[in-house]
């Protein structure tokens, strides 16, 4: 997957050297408060990171979790993800989390927009949606800034911290979103590659990948559960936090 560059941040594939900030995010009490998964311990974070590193080797690829980096610096300060659904030409934005001291804070919507440009362009998607816990009201402005439009409330979609949570959803359709794309986003849109493979395509994977500990390991198959839990109606629980 190519690097995706915007005005205030850029996105790239995760690397084994990103484990430190990844672990910090997923074991942090505050940063995981609004995620669709429970706070992890160190061992769980390492296992999850190994699964994320394997994503590029699972074909057809449906999970894209990328590192958010500041302009001019190759340092991971957060994550941004896109989960391509197995039907239609749809995908969900996931995993938007920025570290408290990240110099790109306040620009989290730009990470979403870069991945949306990649999805509508290279992946040939038609609809991209996202959601946040209904009580995480600060996320509304982030969704709107990303070019997403309010759609509905999914009642008690996922369960964390001992409670069921409602989720507010938003979506964008390719034709309308492309018309308001920035020059940087248009450059990504025009770098068009092959569309998402159809269901039933060859899903063979390479024999090995590198784990968080740097050891070779067999990548999980495409049937492995997503990094975020699947909720009701086959939807995945949103995975987003403060920006």
């Amino acid at each position: 997957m190519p690097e995706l560059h915007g005005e205030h941040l850029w996105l790239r594939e995760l690397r084994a050297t990103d484990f430190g900030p990844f672990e910090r995010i997923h074991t942090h009490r505050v940063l995981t408060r609004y995620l669709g998964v429970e706070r992890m311990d160190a061992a769980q974070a390492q296992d999850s990171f190994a699964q994320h590193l394997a994503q590029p080797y699972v074909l057809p690829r449906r999970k894209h979790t990328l590192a958010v980096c500041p302009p001019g610096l190759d340092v991971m300060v957060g994550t941004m993800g896109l989960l391509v659904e197995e039907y239609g030409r749809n995908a969900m934005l996931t995993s938007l989390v920025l570290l408290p001291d990240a110099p790109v804070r306040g620009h989290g919507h730009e990470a979403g927009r870069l991945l949306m440009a990649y999805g509508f362009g290279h992946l040939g998607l038609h609809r991209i949606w996202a959601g946040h816990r209904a009580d995480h009201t600060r996320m509304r402005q982030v969704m709107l800034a990303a070019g997403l439009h309010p759609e509905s409330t999914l009642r008690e979609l996922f369960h964390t911290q001992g409670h069921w949570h409602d989720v507010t959803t938003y979506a964008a359709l390719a034709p309308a979103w492309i018309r308001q794309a920035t020059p940087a986003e248009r450059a990504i849109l025009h770098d068009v590659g092959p569309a998402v493979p159809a269901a039933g395509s060859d899903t063979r994977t390479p024999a090995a990948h590198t784990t968080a500990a740097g050891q070779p390991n067999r990548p999980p198959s495409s049937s492995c559960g997503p990094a975020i839990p699947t909720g009701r109606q086959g939807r995945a629980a949103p995975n987003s936090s403060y920006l």
Side-chain angles (χ1 to χ4, degrees):
M1 181 171 175
E3 296 174 354
L4 306 178
H5 289 263
E7 181 180 358
H8 301 99
L9 52 81
W10 62 286
L11 307 177
R12 60 162 172 78
E13 295 277 17
L14 290 175
R15 303 172 185 152
T17 53
D18 295 324
F19 178 64
F22 182 94
E23 180 185 38
R24 182 181 173 194
I25 288 171
H26 290 278
T27 59
H28 196 288
R29 179 181 59 82
V30 175
L31 293 179
T32 56
R33 179 181 178 185
Y34 291 104
L35 296 186
V37 295
E38 298 282 5
R39 177 185 178 189
M40 300 178 186
D41 60 28
Q44 292 170 329
Q46 184 168 2
D47 289 343
S48 177
F49 186 65
Q51 293 177 30
H52 282 68
L53 288 182
Q55 289 176 359
Y57 305 106
V58 179
L59 303 175
R61 183 175 184 179
R62 299 199 177 277
K63 303 173 190 175
H64 302 75
T65 305
L66 306 181
V68 178
C69 303
L73 295 175
D74 192 356
V75 178
M76 174 180 160
V77 296
T79 59
M80 183 74 233
L82 185 72
L83 176 62
V84 180
E85 297 175 347
E86 295 184 1
Y87 58 92
R89 290 161 57 193
N90 312 298
M92 183 183 74
L93 293 172
T94 71
S95 310
L96 176 55
V97 189
L98 299 177
L99 291 170
D101 52 356
V104 302
R105 289 182 69 82
H107 301 288
H109 66 281
E110 188 173 324
R113 292 184 67 95
L114 292 175
L115 256 184
M116 291 173 75
Y118 181 78
F120 287 139
H122 186 86
L123 298 181
L125 298 173
H126 177 70
R127 181 179 182 274
I128 295 177
W129 72 282
H132 63 77
R133 265 178 45 177
D135 60 341
H136 192 8
T137 55
R138 291 178 58 183
M139 285 297 295
R140 174 179 171 82
Q141 293 305 314
V142 176
M143 299 292 183
L144 298 178
L148 296 153
H149 297 273
E151 285 204 333
S152 64
T153 297
L154 304 179
R155 297 174 59 197
E156 298 187 359
L157 181 65
F158 68 97
H159 187 275
T160 60
Q161 303 159 19
H163 300 282
W164 285 101
H165 304 288
D166 293 348
V167 171
T168 304
T169 67
Y170 305 75
L173 302 180
W177 192 90
I178 289 171
R179 286 196 294 270
Q180 50 81 66
T182 67
E185 293 158 2
R186 289 186 178 276
I188 297 171
L189 284 162
H190 294 156
D191 184 19
V192 178
V196 178
S201 300
D202 186 1
T203 58
R204 289 175 296 176
T205 61
H209 70 280
T210 303
T211 68
Q215 298 298 319
N217 190 15
R218 186 172 294 276
S221 69
S222 57
S223 63
C224 287
I228 52 180
T230 300
R232 296 180 180 180
Q233 303 176 1
R235 295 179 182 271
N239 198 357
S240 56
S241 187
Y242 285 116
L243 303 179

